[in-house]
Amino acid sequence: MNKLLISLLVSIGITGVAHAAGDATAGQGKTAVCTACHSADGNSVVGNFPKLAGQGEKYLLKQMLEIKSGVRSVPEMTGLLDNLNEQDLADIAAFFASKNVQLGQAAADQVEAGQKIWRAGVADKGVAACTACHGPNGKGIDSAAYPSLSGQHAQYVESTLKKFASGDRNNDPANMMRDIASKMSEAEMKAVSQYVQGLH
């Protein structure tokens, strides 16, 4: 399973679609629409809104383009990106990618179970290790538009896993996250979500 994921990662990285290059300085002046939920530096203070700080530029741009086009449904963002063009979105992505994520702390009783899933997956269920796509330290693989999870809010990660499992979120390449999340129990989702919140 891991060999399959790695070869898919390589092929996506090689064949990725080129987008406009972002300008972080220009992006700072375009983030007013983002700050209410994600904070001025991209470190949201509310657990259900993702931290954007330190996130991969390519990943952020992909998500914003898909939210704007309707490929990814995020009701809270309906209409917010309508007046921004691709260059604007690329600049915003570059700005948040340039910021440092503020790490959280994992719940002590979830670290051992979460770390095991992160590093080894759940073999008897066919759940691949999270490190295959998100890296050992959770920094992601931006060339393949795979997100950084290091320091991300546990509440947001757990909610996202549940959305992938149910199919409510379906913008993952080759159904990868839907396949993985659908095999996980809620306890496993909670443990790995807590683990990444403190991962660095």
Side-chain angles (χ1 to χ4, degrees):
M1 181 77 164
N2 283 345
K3 287 181 181 177
L4 175 64
L5 284 174
I6 290 167
S7 81
L8 180 60
L9 289 173
V10 171
S11 67
I12 289 172
I14 291 169
T15 61
V17 177
H19 289 289
D23 179 332
T25 302
Q28 183 171 10
K30 301 175 182 181
T31 60
V33 70
C34 314
T35 59
C37 297
H38 301 287
S39 297
D41 68 348
N43 282 290
S44 69
V45 294
V46 181
N48 61 312
F49 296 128
K51 294 179 183 180
L52 305 181
Q55 188 55 263
E57 192 171 337
K58 187 172 180 180
Y59 176 78
L60 286 173
L61 179 57
K62 176 184 184 292
Q63 299 309 309
M64 287 188 287
L65 288 170
E66 291 180 354
I67 290 165
K68 182 177 178 179
S69 71
V71 169
R72 178 179 172 192
S73 175
V74 180
E76 299 90 340
M77 291 188 68
T78 301
L80 293 181
L81 304 178
D82 288 355
N83 294 327
L84 300 171
N85 62 34
E86 185 172 333
Q87 185 63 58
D88 294 330
L89 299 180
D91 293 344
I92 290 169
F95 171 74
F96 285 123
S98 73
K99 297 300 171 188
N100 293 320
V101 66
Q102 293 175 1
L103 300 176
Q105 186 169 350
D109 64 339
Q110 299 293 319
V111 171
E112 185 177 348
Q115 184 179 56
K116 184 176 179 182
I117 295 165
W118 181 263
R119 292 184 177 175
V122 186
D124 61 344
K125 293 183 175 182
V127 174
C130 307
T131 58
C133 296
H134 301 288
N137 296 322
K139 299 301 182 187
I141 302 173
D142 195 43
S143 62
Y146 290 153
S148 171
L149 296 180
S150 174
Q152 188 58 264
H153 291 300
Q155 181 181 344
Y156 177 76
V157 175
E158 185 175 355
S159 170
T160 299
L161 285 170
K162 288 178 180 177
K163 288 176 183 175
F164 276 128
S166 68
D168 286 346
R169 181 167 171 185
N170 58 10
N171 70 327
D172 51 325
N175 298 339
M176 212 176 332
M177 282 307 305
R178 280 172 280 176
D179 179 59
I180 290 168
S182 67
K183 297 172 183 173
M184 296 176 71
S185 68
E186 289 196 5
E188 289 163 343
M189 292 180 186
K190 180 178 181 180
V192 79
S193 298
Q194 282 290 332
Y195 180 70
V196 301
Q197 183 168 266
L199 183 63
H200 60 283

